[in-house]
Amino acid sequence: MSERRGLSREQIAKRVAAELEDGWLVNLGLGIPTLAVNYIPEGRDILFHSENGIIGMGPRPADEDVDTDLMSAGKGPITLIEGAALVHHADSFVVARGGRLDAAILGAYQVADSGDFANWRLPDRHVGGIGGAMDIAVGAQRVFITMSQTDKDGTPKLVEDLTYPLTTKACVTKVFTEMAVIAVTDQGFVLEEVAPGFTPDDIVARTAASLIVPDDVGTIAA
Amino acid sequence: MSERRGLSREQIAKRVAAELEDGWLVNLGLGIPTLAVNYIPEGRDILFHSENGIIGMGPRPADEDVDTDLMSAGKGPITLIEGAALVHHADSFVVARGGRLDAAILGAYQVADSGDFANWRLPDRHVGGIGGAMDIAVGAQRVFITMSQTDKDGTPKLVEDLTYPLTTKACVTKVFTEMAVIAVTDQGFVLEEVAPGFTPDDIVARTAASLIVPDDVGTIAA
Amino acid sequence: MRYRSGGHRGMQQDMKQKKFDSIDTALDRLKDGDTVLVGGFGLSGIPEKLINGVCERGLRDLTVVNNSSGAGRFGVARLLEKGCVAKVIVSFPWGRESDVFKELYKAGKVDLEIVPQGILAERMRAAGAGLGGILSPSGVGTQIAEGKPIHMVGNQEYIVETALPGDVALIKAHKVDPRGNLIYRLASQNMNPVMAMAAKHTIVEVDAEVALGDLAPAEIITPGVFVDRYVVTGRYKPEAWEGAWHE
Amino acid sequence: MRYRSGGHRGMQQDMKQKKFDSIDTALDRLKDGDTVLVGGFGLSGIPEKLINGVCERGLRDLTVVNNSSGAGRFGVARLLEKGCVAKVIVSFPWGRESDVFKELYKAGKVDLEIVPQGILAERMRAAGAGLGGILSPSGVGTQIAEGKPIHMVGNQEYIVETALPGDVALIKAHKVDPRGNLIYRLASQNMNPVMAMAAKHTIVEVDAEVALGDLAPAEIITPGVFVDRYVVTGRYKPEAWEGAWHE
């Protein structure tokens, strides 16, 4: 079982990107979430928000076109799409906290079956970095989490109660790992899809909370 | 004594305008305060704020240049000076409530010797109109009040305690009437100047609170 | 001036359709009992066509938020006269020409909430920003504070003013692009940009439409994410304006 | 584009002088112990010349507000390294390159207050707006809420976050006119306009100066009433940027 590799970072990004619907405004966190921009299904008009005041962020420019005044919140070079709007930080978070984000894709250390998640601070470190995560998670219509199914030592990251410091309560919609897509519902975690080569039992074994396994669990199109 | 007419509205406006110092940002209420714009002493650069989002309001245009999208808060046609800035209502009140107004000139029904004043509602009417007065008075560095010394029936409007509903506590800097200029201080009302033809005793007789009369009370240059 | 496209896939083909040709259709999500934020101050920035559309649709029991309760028989006064309004939330209900409101109010046919003008704007912005409210210094110790919680910060007393969201905003702008990005003419912004932020559903009437990329990203006052629908009305003379009119 | 002058008397002759030629002189009102709001996010909109000027003046015990505690040896990290800072108030103290901060923090030489990024901006805006604070949903139930009052609005829990004013703001803009009106280049606004509102005394470094009337009134992002002093530095490559540079 431990030989199976699961999805690559790019494949996770592609899977979560498939969730984004036409016309949505979306904020992407660092890491795998940022990769999702490369996998938007054809024909969907997705608008990207960056917390430093950009509504309508476009892809990375050619090296010679990089401008230090056009960077994402993750400090990567970007472009502006036609019809982009630029605002200051307070108004940028009016967009985020005020509920205008159809979805936010964020990383996490842990997700609880209540929809609570943790992503800003390790329990054993003095400090962490919140950045925009608390405002974005509390405001977004949907919070999609990309993370690994377990820690490096095999400890499940889907849990009953967080042991890492809370970022935001009851906000996670779905979790996308290298092994599975798991919805967070009123009933708790529900397995929706497994990665090729994995069975529902593999995911149950790597989840430290009840996991509802419906009859029709699909396979991630990788 | 009742034969004396005191200053005209224009003369009160001219007197209060003389208080405005070079470089100040000023908001003007309806009535006499609005007239003050015509009496700014030569050589003083005064910037005028209007609560509907105008910083740098200029004088009334010629009739043929009137534009319905350039009106003061008092609904009178205005112009923009060079270097004017336009903002929305929330940010316009950042200017006012946030302390950027060096002075506001407002009308009043009553002023108390604590600096409290009343200008939004008659006691015997069901409702009144606040408009921007509470935000402006609480934020302005100085609140100058222009009003008559007494009601039409001779009742003093400078009082110990308001009988009209309060607009803002402890904010009035000076009061300008047809008879006098009266400062509001930690010690209460202090007579600063009298209009030509009036004596300090005339003002004391028309003030329903202690009025400190220094030795050097001046005469208003009318 | 047009801005370089980052080549974002599918944008022009599949953009969410915000443009409506009919005022009446654009208003079809308004319901009886809605809280409706209505832009405009004095004669400027009033969405007159949308207001007339609401009257024609015969909506009832609306709570209307505006700076005033209207003047003459125009704007908010028309909504009141047509019997659409159960309550107004305003800073200046008692103007010289607010006869329609005065009559209804005296007859007990309309409720009133008075809010200081700057706090009215700020309560709406707070709703747009997902905040629960603000700590306001405006009106401390006055009748405005009655029934509201007080919160001390140090020795300073503040009124807890709660966020004021709208079900719908009816606003007016000068130019729009297909994404719904807005700019305003001269000093006509007033409450409009704040209301666009504060409502769940924002409908705009606008003087003119421009092509995508024609508005510089930094000059946009209301980003299109705050706009759900717009109708191009052309620029017209405000109904209540009796003076000369220049296009 | 130039706008018609209303003929306001004396304006051009007697306008308050906001332009300073020397960074050092422009900073002469900063005092030890001040709370200093420092603009910039990533590489963009950082007032590097002003920051270097503060280091040279050898100020001490500053409370610095910024999004982060700095990267490498630039920006806020330089202020920390030079020993100017007693406390930082930031949303992201623990970046990959925030070595200077980490070392000082572990040694107990600098205090830290962490604030969610959007609430950091909103607390400063509240200060600018004369509000006592805001009711924030961000961080409810987390360590961020510890020691702060909770206020319920209906069933919803909010943290009372108090206004965060600055004694001084150090910000960066793209163009300024003699009244201090500012516009920003591309996405370089970030916290700068909010900090200009929130500080008692705002000092700007700016790429270029334009004549009065050259900025359209509606395109101005920071009205000059929020600006006390400015220094024209010209546009320059951010010290920490190692990539290609185009004017």
Side-chain angles (χ1 to χ4, degrees), chain B residues 83-97:
Chain B
L86 297 170
V87 297
H88 60 56
H89 241 93
D91 281 356
S92 181
F93 278 92
V94 169
V95 173
R97 202 186 318 97

Side-chain angles (χ1 to χ4, degrees), chain B residues 7-176:
Chain B
L7 303 183
S8 66
R9 285 163 56 88
E10 287 72 19
Q11 286 172 318
I12 297 173
K14 185 179 173 191
R15 178 60 193 86
V16 71
E19 295 289 308
L20 305 181
E21 295 185 13
D22 190 43
W24 277 12
L25 177 69
V26 179
N27 181 289
L28 304 176
L30 298 189
I32 294 175
T34 296
L35 294 176
V37 74
N38 300 317
Y39 299 100
I40 305 303
E42 280 298 330
R44 291 192 201 169
D45 172 41
I46 311 292
L47 204 58
F48 290 99
H49 168 262
S50 181
E51 45 267 54
N52 52 326
I54 303 167
I55 303 161
M57 192 168 56
R60 192 189 166 94
D63 282 353
E64 64 270 23
D65 293 331
V66 167
D67 189 309
T68 53
D69 288 332
L70 281 180
M71 298 279 184
S72 69
K75 322 296 193 281
I78 56 145
T79 47
L80 298 178
I81 65 164
E82 281 196 323
L86 297 170
V87 297
H88 60 56
H89 241 93
D91 281 356
S92 181
F93 278 92
V94 169
V95 173
R97 202 186 318 97
R100 303 291 168 166
L101 294 172
D102 295 287
I105 310 181
L106 301 169
Y109 299 137
Q110 285 182 328
V111 176
D113 58 6
S114 57
D116 296 1
F117 82 111
N119 81 340
W120 72 283
R121 181 170 175 173
L122 300 174
D124 57 349
R125 235 197 233 166
H126 282 296
V127 293
I130 297 168
M134 288 183 180
D135 299 287
I136 290 167
V138 84
Q141 299 299 317
R142 300 163 191 84
V143 175
F144 297 139
I145 298 290
T146 62
M147 63 178 192
S148 55
Q149 185 74 32
T150 64
D151 281 342
K152 278 171 193 163
D153 67 1
T155 309
K157 294 169 74 167
L158 292 148
V159 297
E160 280 185 2
D161 293 298
L162 302 180
T163 56
Y164 283 57
L166 175 69
T167 296
T168 302
K169 283 187 188 171
C171 65
V172 176
T173 309
K174 285 192 188 185
V175 181
F176 301 81

Side-chain angles (χ1 to χ4, degrees), chain A residues 123-148:
Chain A
D124 58 348
R125 236 196 232 165
H126 283 296
V127 292
I130 298 169
M134 288 184 181
D135 300 286
I136 289 166
V138 84
Q141 297 299 318
R142 299 163 191 83
V143 174
F144 297 140
I145 298 290
T146 64
M147 65 178 192
S148 55

Side-chain angles (χ1 to χ4, degrees), chain A residues 7-219:
Chain A
L7 303 182
S8 66
R9 287 162 54 87
E10 287 71 20
Q11 286 171 316
I12 299 174
K14 185 180 173 192
R15 178 60 193 85
V16 70
E19 295 289 307
L20 306 181
E21 296 185 12
D22 190 45
W24 277 12
L25 178 69
V26 178
N27 182 288
L28 304 176
L30 298 189
I32 294 176
T34 296
L35 294 176
V37 75
N38 300 320
Y39 299 99
I40 304 303
E42 280 299 328
R44 292 192 199 166
D45 173 40
I46 311 291
L47 203 59
F48 290 99
H49 168 262
S50 181
E51 44 267 55
N52 51 326
I54 304 168
I55 303 162
M57 190 168 59
R60 191 186 167 95
D63 282 354
E64 63 271 23
D65 293 331
V66 167
D67 190 309
T68 54
D69 288 332
L70 280 181
M71 298 279 184
S72 69
K75 322 297 193 281
I78 57 143
T79 48
L80 298 178
I81 65 164
E82 281 196 322
L86 297 169
V87 299
H88 60 57
H89 241 93
D91 281 356
S92 181
F93 278 93
V94 169
V95 172
R97 203 187 315 99
R100 303 290 169 166
L101 294 172
D102 294 288
I105 310 181
L106 302 169
Y109 299 135
Q110 284 181 330
V111 176
D113 58 6
S114 57
D116 296 1
F117 81 111
N119 81 340
W120 73 281
R121 182 171 175 172
L122 299 173
D124 58 348
R125 236 196 232 165
H126 283 296
V127 292
I130 298 169
M134 288 184 181
D135 300 286
I136 289 166
V138 84
Q141 297 299 318
R142 299 163 191 83
V143 174
F144 297 140
I145 298 290
T146 64
M147 65 178 192
S148 55
Q149 186 73 31
T150 63
D151 281 342
K152 281 171 192 163
D153 66 2
T155 309
K157 295 168 76 168
L158 291 148
V159 298
E160 281 185 1
D161 293 298
L162 302 180
T163 56
Y164 284 55
L166 176 69
T167 297
T168 301
K169 283 188 190 171
C171 65
V172 176
T173 308
K174 287 192 187 185
V175 181
F176 301 81
T177 76
E178 78 283 15
M179 298 182 190
V181 178
I182 295 153
V184 185
T185 73
D186 291 351
Q187 318 287 315
F189 291 132
V190 176
L191 183 63
E192 293 202 334
E193 298 177 16
V194 291
F198 290 84
T199 66
D201 284 348
D202 294 331
I203 313 307
V204 169
R206 289 173 180 80
T207 299
S210 295
L211 178 64
I212 298 170
V213 181
D215 293 338
D216 59 345
V217 171
T219 301

Side-chain angles (χ1 to χ4, degrees), chain C residues 16-137:
Chain C
K16 205 188 278 182
Q17 183 60 257
K18 297 186 176 182
K19 184 176 182 175
F20 281 66
D21 292 326
S22 148
I23 289 273
D24 191 60
T25 310
L27 293 168
D28 67 11
R29 281 188 51 183
L30 261 82
K31 306 178 308 299
D32 291 346
D34 273 355
T35 294
V36 184
L37 316 178
V38 181
F41 185 94
L43 291 164
S44 186
I46 302 178
E48 294 187 10
K49 306 290 186 196
L50 292 174
I51 289 171
N52 291 343
V54 173
C55 292
E56 279 165 29
R57 290 182 73 86
L59 287 151
R60 286 291 175 272
D61 291 326
L62 303 178
T63 293
V64 169
V65 182
N66 185 261
N67 181 61
S68 80
S69 51
R73 301 219 148 12
F74 309 105
V76 173
R78 175 163 296 158
L79 287 171
L80 284 158
E81 190 174 34
K82 297 289 182 187
C84 306
V85 184
K87 179 180 179 181
V88 296
I89 303 179
V90 298
S91 86
F92 209 82
W94 212 250
R96 255 176 310 171
E97 299 168 72
S98 53
D99 303 330
V100 173
F101 170 77
K102 289 177 187 175
E103 212 165 289
L104 289 168
Y105 183 77
K106 284 176 184 164
K109 291 184 176 164
V110 60
D111 285 337
L112 168 67
E113 181 178 343
I114 305 185
V115 184
Q117 193 174 129
I119 297 304
L120 187 62
E122 210 59 51
R123 285 180 63 193
M124 288 190 281
R125 188 183 174 283
L131 304 174
I134 53 171
L135 305 183
S136 163

Side-chain angles (χ1 to χ4, degrees), chain D residues 177-222:
Chain D
D177 76 13
R179 284 208 176 273
N181 292 308
L182 304 179
I183 63 172
Y184 299 84
R185 188 170 175 276
L186 298 170
S188 71
Q189 291 184 49
N190 53 65
M191 301 270 190
N192 285 299
V194 180
M195 290 175 165
M197 287 180 175
K200 293 189 199 82
H201 183 70
T202 294
I203 309 169
V204 188
E205 61 163 85
V206 60
D207 295 343
E209 189 182 27
V210 299
L212 205 62
D214 278 357
L215 300 178
E219 77 172 331
I220 291 165
I221 300 291
T222 297

Side-chain angles (χ1 to χ4, degrees), chain D residues 229-241:
Chain D
R229 297 176 173 194
Y230 65 85
V231 183
V232 181
T233 60
R235 198 165 158 245
Y236 59 84
K237 175 175 166 174
E239 215 176 326
W241 177 239

